[in-house]
Amino acid sequence: MNDLKKDIGFFGAFSTVVGVVIGSGVFFKAAVIYKTTGNVSLGLLAWILAGIISICAGLTTAELAAAIPETGGMIVWVERAYGKTMSYLLGWAQAVIYYPASIAAASAIFATQFTNLFHIDKKYSILVGACGAATVTCLNLLGSKASGRIQTVATICKLIPIITIIVFGLLQPNPTTVEFLPTGSGNSSLGGASLSAVGAALLAAMYGYDGWINVGTVAGEMKDPKRDLPRAILYGLLVITAIYLLINVAYLMTMPMEQIAGNGNVPNDVATKLFGSYGGKIITIGIMISVYGTMNGFTMTAIRVPYAMAMKDQIPFKNIWIKLNSFSIPYVSALVTLVLTIAMMFTGEFDTLTDFLLFTIWIFFILTFFAVFVLRKKEPELPRPYKVPLYPIIPIIAIVGGAYIVIAAIITQFTLAVSGVALTLAGLIFYTETHKKFKK
């Protein structure tokens, strides 16, 4: 039964797209993209391709969201298309890999900004990141209203440094010369970039667009999902792609590509050059608030995944996972997520964590895109208030793009890829034991 209020219009859905997608990637992925490609044109191309893939992916999943507007989003769609086992594996991957790694990656960036701002020794970065993640967890334990307020403030704050850097970066009086076309020599040559390097850059760029899958979950609360949902996804991701391109051009007009490549402190260095030491610190604080909001957004969703799985009898010790505190928050799930997050911080740095989580979740994204074909054949009579345009071209682009990302990750990050698959399949042990228990 669906008793959600249908009061979200186009602008509400549009702001949801922008608010959910824009996070830490826009600030900190330029370094690895230009280091990987060694080329301005290919670096910007990676952002454009990532935007195109994300738009096709969003338009594809919007059909599922509009047809099956149920709480759980992708988990529900995957179960409807492939059954409970695959749905469980998705929930397991989200709970054990995707969300903890996402929070850990954002925490790592928060720690880097914090230690740079206050000139703290970098050996304390994990401690700072862990404290940041712990405070987010504590705030979420105070209820959805408290975490929701944080998200509202963070959404506003994240746009301030982005817009400021874009405007002042593009309008600066003495910009750095930017070679958008390859010169045919040195690192600027297209011939120097391999297919795998472009794939690695695309994988990095995709993190900047991560979050679009959550947009479809508002379909059940929209006044007219057939008309407004695809428009919100299309225009929202187009605006985000434009913002990412503009801020990258602003970076390149402020600092040479060689100083950006591999520099984990790009936005701060750019802000300091544009606004001086004091202005740079203000921008850094704005970025920290933005990243803190990213941590909060992932935490809000993460702590509810094990709870939802326990309610469906999919994991052992159901009665423990469904316990709620006085603010109606599943506190056991929140604490376990925090422990997994801190453990992830010890396994790798920001780029390693983001590659790890993206590889794992994109396997399930591809399955979700295929679900459109599966359900059209399996449930042809299912009411579909919105159908993906240019079918089957748009879903195929999403699938091919996703496959390219996964294959590129296997080539460039083989150990991470194997670890992600192994950890995901390990969930079957608990799934089998749980089913044995409930069959008795």
Side-chain angles (χ1 to χ4, degrees):
M1 187 174 81
N2 183 14
D3 56 358
L4 297 172
K5 292 183 178 179
K6 297 181 180 294
D7 54 4
I8 298 178
F10 167 75
F11 288 105
F14 175 84
S15 62
T16 300
V17 174
V18 175
V20 168
V21 173
I22 295 180
S24 56
V26 63
F27 297 112
F28 300 100
K29 278 300 180 179
V32 68
I33 287 173
Y34 295 113
K35 180 181 179 180
T36 302
T37 61
N39 182 279
V40 171
S41 303
L42 291 178
L44 295 176
L45 179 62
W47 286 110
I48 294 172
L49 289 176
I52 292 172
I53 294 172
S54 297
I55 289 170
C56 292
L59 292 175
T60 300
T61 53
E63 175 172 320
L64 300 171
I68 313 171
E70 299 178 19
T71 302
M74 187 164 60
I75 291 179
V76 177
W77 311 331
V78 168
E79 179 175 343
R80 194 83 162 250
Y82 307 107
K84 293 183 177 181
T85 301
M86 192 60 70
S87 174
Y88 162 80
L89 282 177
L90 170 57
W92 169 267
Q94 287 181 327
V96 177
I97 301 175
Y98 178 70
Y99 286 117
S102 296
I103 301 167
S107 299
I109 287 297
F110 179 83
T112 299
Q113 300 308 295
F114 190 92
T115 53
N116 288 339
L117 182 64
F118 296 102
H119 306 290
I120 299 173
D121 195 312
K122 290 185 178 180
K123 67 181 181 181
Y124 297 109
S125 292
I126 292 180
L127 177 61
V128 173
C131 289
T135 60
V136 169
T137 300
C138 290
L139 289 169
N140 272 269
L141 288 172
L142 295 177
S144 57
K145 184 175 290 187
S147 56
R149 288 173 178 170
I150 296 172
Q151 205 60 30
T152 300
V153 173
T155 299
I156 296 172
C157 290
K158 76 171 60 177
L159 295 176
I160 295 175
I162 291 174
I163 294 173
T164 303
I165 290 174
I166 288 175
V167 172
F168 286 87
L170 296 180
L171 299 179
Q172 59 184 299
N174 298 304
T176 300
T177 301
V178 182
E179 295 181 355
F180 291 104
L181 297 177
T183 61
S185 61
N187 288 336
S188 296
S189 172
L190 282 176
S194 66
L195 188 63
S196 62
V198 176
L202 181 59
L203 182 66
M206 287 306 303
Y207 178 73
Y209 294 89
D210 189 41
W212 53 263
I213 194 70
N214 298 313
V215 175
T217 59
V218 304
E221 301 166 80
M222 294 185 67
K223 298 175 183 176
D224 189 354
K226 179 179 179 180
R227 181 176 65 92
D228 292 336
L229 183 58
R231 289 198 307 147
I233 292 173
L234 176 61
Y235 297 148
L237 288 173
L238 282 174
V239 168
I240 291 167
T241 302
I243 288 173
Y244 287 0
L245 289 174
L246 288 173
I247 198 169
N248 271 266
V249 173
Y251 289 159
L252 293 164
M253 290 178 67
T254 307
M255 295 170 58
M257 185 199 72
E258 290 74 15
Q259 293 182 20
I260 294 175
N263 181 356
N265 209 32
V266 172
N268 312 81
D269 291 348
V270 168
T272 300
K273 283 196 172 187
L274 290 175
F275 313 112
S277 178
Y278 183 74
K281 288 181 179 180
I282 294 176
I283 295 297
T284 299
I285 293 172
I287 293 172
M288 285 174 58
I289 295 173
S290 171
V291 175
Y292 196 81
T294 299
M295 294 162 59
N296 180 69
F298 279 118
T299 300
M300 287 174 65
T301 307
I303 63 179
R304 288 161 174 82
V305 172
Y307 172 81
M309 294 175 70
M311 292 298 290
K312 296 172 67 175
D313 294 331
Q314 288 186 329
I315 54 177
F317 311 110
K318 169 186 174 179
N319 293 333
I320 295 177
W321 296 104
I322 63 175
K323 286 184 177 180
L324 305 178
N325 65 6
S326 57
F327 296 96
S328 299
I329 300 297
Y331 63 92
V332 175
S333 177
L335 295 176
V336 171
T337 299
L338 176 60
V339 171
L340 290 173
T341 296
I342 295 175
M344 287 281 187
M345 293 180 193
F346 287 94
T347 63
E349 298 179 349
F350 174 66
D351 292 319
T352 303
L353 288 167
T354 55
D355 287 350
F356 182 50
L357 68 92
L358 280 176
F359 168 79
T360 305
I361 203 65
W362 265 91
I363 294 175
F364 290 99
F365 284 168
I366 294 171
L367 287 175
T368 303
F369 307 149
F370 269 118
V372 172
F373 296 96
V374 173
L375 290 178
R376 283 203 181 190
K377 184 176 181 180
K378 188 177 180 180
E379 301 184 40
E381 302 304 319
L382 178 69
R384 291 175 171 82
Y386 158 79
K387 290 186 177 182
V388 59
L390 301 178
Y391 180 88
I393 297 174
I394 296 296
I396 289 175
I397 292 174
I399 292 168
V400 172
Y404 183 72
I405 292 167
V406 170
I407 292 171
I410 293 173
I411 294 172
T412 61
Q413 301 281 0
F414 182 75
T415 302
L416 284 181
V418 172
S419 300
V421 171
L423 192 53
T424 300
L425 294 178
L428 289 173
I429 298 172
F430 297 96
Y431 182 72
T432 302
E433 291 300 317
T434 302
H435 273 247
K436 285 180 180 179
K437 176 182 177 182
F438 285 104
K439 283 180 180 179
K440 292 181 180 179

